[in-house]
Amino acid sequence: MTALVIAEHDNASLKGSTLNTITAAVQAGGEVHVLVAGSNAKAAADAAAQVAGVAKVLLADGAQFADGLAENVAAQVLAIAKDYSHILAPATAYGKNILPRVAALLDVGQISDITKVDAPDTFERPIYAGNAIATVQSTDAIKVITVRTTGFDPAGTGGSAAVESITAVADSGKSSFVGREVAKSDRPELTAAKIIVSGGRGMGSSESFKILEPLADKLNAAMGASRAAVDAGYVPNDWQVGQTGKIVAPQLYIAVGISGAIQHLAGMKDSKVIVAINKDEEAPIFSVADYGIVGDLFEIVPELVKQLG
């Protein structure tokens, strides 16, 4: 029994999501191999070789993998899939783009968004926006799995796996990379931040969101938002936390003016400590909050900043 983890990377280093996925693969049992499909990606492969629990790193290097096109990466996975009992990728945009193609072409069911490994063939995953946990058992010869990164601790370092170069599949010719617009920010990345300050519809306007910036600056926090705030045009889409946004689990999550719709709670309720600030004492957000402040956020947030010195 051997598991294959499809590494998410930027050709120079691994994304944090890969480390969480490796932890899930180790818990499934057997050896863990990591596939790094990239262009001039030796540095990323070397980084994968140092991750604890990894037995071997497979490096498929070619220009066709430079931008992570799903058709090409999926073809590379299929070329070696028969050697594995489990194929895992993070449940990020990257993994969600690749693994459904792999599962379909292998003619097996995909097990999506797992948060726990009960046995090599049995996994837990949230359903109904996280209000219930489904236990899924698969009899497929190859289990194709996406991993919710907040469900597993990141794997540590200390490994010394061999890096083996494998034959890269040819460009599928089915898609081409046109361009990428990357949102630049001096703040930590939302999905990797230890502290997040999030605003909701209660902020009232995009201008009002600026009241959260001094608090985020004091805490070196990322800034997030509810879907209602994003849909209202207060902040960009990439700030959205929730079932249809980003799933986060920071050490500290401060929810300001967020009522706590079920879809938002699904994206942040695994945070270690949740602080809610809302003028409505009946707001659902208080049901998951460790600390709640009922009052006017426009008075409380500046006072909080002042108290933080």
Side-chain angles (χ1 to χ4, degrees):
M1 191 168 67
T2 309
L4 178 69
V5 171
I6 304 170
E8 183 173 4
H9 61 90
D10 61 5
N11 294 312
S13 60
L14 296 178
K15 299 284 188 183
S17 57
T18 302
L19 303 179
N20 306 91
T21 307
I22 289 170
T23 297
V26 169
Q27 291 179 12
E31 278 196 0
V32 175
H33 296 179
V34 175
L35 171 65
V36 176
S39 178
N40 297 317
K42 181 68 163 58
D46 289 342
Q50 294 170 22
V51 178
V54 175
K56 184 192 288 186
V57 177
L58 305 176
L59 174 60
D61 216 298
Q64 65 272 35
F65 300 126
D67 299 297
L69 292 176
E71 292 85 353
N72 292 341
V73 178
Q76 186 66 60
V77 175
L78 287 164
I80 57 174
K82 62 177 175 43
D83 298 328
Y84 295 97
S85 58
H86 298 70
I87 298 174
L88 304 94
T92 57
Y94 179 80
K96 288 177 181 179
N97 203 7
I98 294 166
L99 275 202
R101 302 168 195 272
V102 172
L105 291 167
L106 288 174
D107 195 24
V108 300
Q110 177 175 300
I111 306 167
S112 302
D113 225 19
I114 70 162
T115 53
K116 188 178 178 185
V117 177
D118 289 338
D121 65 348
T122 309
F123 312 90
E124 294 182 14
R125 59 181 298 269
I127 58 174
Y128 305 132
N131 279 296
I133 301 297
T135 301
V136 181
Q137 187 173 41
S138 171
T139 57
D140 288 326
I142 302 175
K143 279 80 171 160
V144 175
I145 301 164
T146 61
V147 176
R148 180 174 288 203
T149 55
T150 57
F152 298 88
D153 293 331
T157 55
S160 56
V163 177
E164 178 184 316
S165 291
I166 61 173
T167 304
V169 297
D171 190 333
S172 69
K174 294 177 180 175
S175 62
S176 60
F177 181 75
V178 176
R180 178 182 285 121
E181 292 183 25
V182 181
K184 290 187 167 32
S185 173
D186 294 332
R187 300 189 189 282
E189 184 184 349
L190 191 56
T191 53
K194 292 184 177 177
I195 302 175
I196 296 173
V197 176
S198 259
R201 186 170 16 212
M203 299 304 299
S205 68
S206 55
E207 190 65 27
S208 295
F209 255 82
K210 292 180 179 174
I211 197 174
L212 301 182
E213 291 178 2
L215 179 58
D217 289 341
K218 288 275 188 188
L219 298 171
N220 189 29
M223 289 185 67
S226 67
R227 178 171 180 170
V230 170
D231 286 350
Y234 298 165
V235 292
N237 286 355
D238 59 313
W239 285 30
Q240 185 178 323
V241 172
Q243 186 179 16
T244 54
K246 293 175 179 172
I247 309 292
V248 299
Q251 297 295 315
L252 173 61
Y253 188 90
I254 302 177
V256 184
I258 294 175
S259 62
I262 187 172
Q263 293 85 354
H264 186 77
L265 299 185
M268 47 63 75
K269 66 182 183 182
D270 289 332
S271 304
K272 303 300 181 287
V273 176
I274 299 171
V275 175
I277 301 172
N278 201 295
K279 65 182 179 183
D280 177 10
E281 63 184 37
E282 301 295 326
I285 191 72
F286 289 122
S287 68
V288 298
D290 298 285
Y291 301 94
I293 305 175
V294 178
D296 185 344
L297 68 89
F298 296 102
E299 295 175 3
I300 293 168
V301 172
E303 182 62 29
L304 192 54
V305 172
K306 192 195 303 185
Q307 292 296 327
L308 288 168

